[in-house]
Amino acid sequence: KTKIGIMYYLWEDSGNGINVIFMGNNRKSYLDYLEKLKDKNKSLGQLTFNEKKSGRIEAAIGNYLDGNVRKINLKPKFITGTEFEKKVLSRLISIPYGKTISYKKLAVLIGHPDACRAIGSALRKNPVMLAVPCHRVIRSDGSIGKFSGGGESIKKFLLALEQSVEK
């Protein structure tokens, strides 16, 4: 349980630290992602699943949502998604804490200046919210836009949290 609801996550211990494969606050998204991974597993043949909590992940989420840290220091691992989606999500990690960027600016930064709608679609599929801060992407007019990580109220909470800690 967190300030933004129950968080679901999938992770692996790579030996060099924890890789987060999924982190979100929507049970249906979590179950859908798990099914997607199981389907992909048929071709990969290397994924095994067991239910094991991670105190490190839960502490990282809690510390972030309490404003104690500015970054969730967990490495996202993108197993699903197109190369374009992975490019968008990888670029998001570099958006500084407390700052925002427009969909348009993000499209320009990744070399696809006319891909604003595709950027929005890639953000909707972000499997690792908080670690990949899609809440920092807003509309060009300054309005916050949509947020698949729990709706506008959670996006507003995350943006306000980062603004209050930043000052």
Side-chain angles (χ1 to χ4, degrees):
K1 287 189 157 199
T2 72
K3 290 181 176 183
I4 60 171
I6 295 173
M7 293 292 289
Y8 302 89
Y9 55 87
L10 295 170
W11 60 283
E12 71 175 0
D13 187 345
S14 67
N16 294 328
I18 292 177
N19 294 326
V20 179
I21 299 164
F22 179 91
M23 180 188 300
N25 62 348
N26 180 299
R27 181 165 172 75
K28 182 178 179 342
S29 295
Y30 168 73
L31 294 173
D32 289 348
Y33 197 81
L34 193 56
E35 285 305 311
K36 194 182 295 184
L37 287 179
K38 287 179 181 177
D39 288 343
K40 189 169 184 96
N41 189 36
K42 291 173 187 170
S43 62
L44 294 174
Q46 63 192 29
L47 300 174
T48 58
F49 299 93
N50 60 43
E51 294 193 26
K52 185 176 176 186
K53 290 186 175 189
S54 169
R56 183 171 170 206
I57 293 173
E58 292 179 9
I61 292 168
N63 282 326
Y64 174 80
L65 293 174
D66 287 341
N68 297 328
V69 297
R70 294 177 176 218
K71 183 178 180 184
I72 292 183
N73 286 317
L74 302 168
K75 184 181 175 202
K77 182 175 181 178
F78 304 118
I79 295 177
T80 63
T82 66
E83 289 308 310
F84 177 81
E85 290 166 353
K86 291 175 184 178
K87 185 176 185 179
V88 170
L89 297 175
S90 294
R91 184 64 175 94
L92 279 176
I93 297 167
S94 66
I95 299 172
Y97 185 91
K99 305 295 181 194
T100 58
I101 188 172
S102 70
Y103 294 92
K104 176 71 174 166
K105 174 90 179 196
L106 183 56
V108 169
L109 287 175
I110 66 161
H112 296 275
D114 297 323
C116 293
R117 287 187 183 267
I119 295 289
S121 178
L123 297 180
R124 273 190 304 280
K125 297 175 185 175
N126 177 6
V128 194
M129 73 180 277
L130 303 182
V132 178
C134 56
H135 61 277
R136 295 180 189 155
V137 182
I138 62 171
R139 294 181 176 158
S140 295
D141 67 4
S143 62
I144 67 166
K146 296 183 179 182
F147 187 56
S148 62
E152 288 181 29
S153 63
I154 291 178
K155 187 170 184 173
K156 286 178 184 177
F157 169 83
L158 294 171
L159 292 172
L161 169 72
E162 291 187 7
Q163 290 299 313
S164 68
V165 173
E166 183 64 19
K167 293 179 180 174

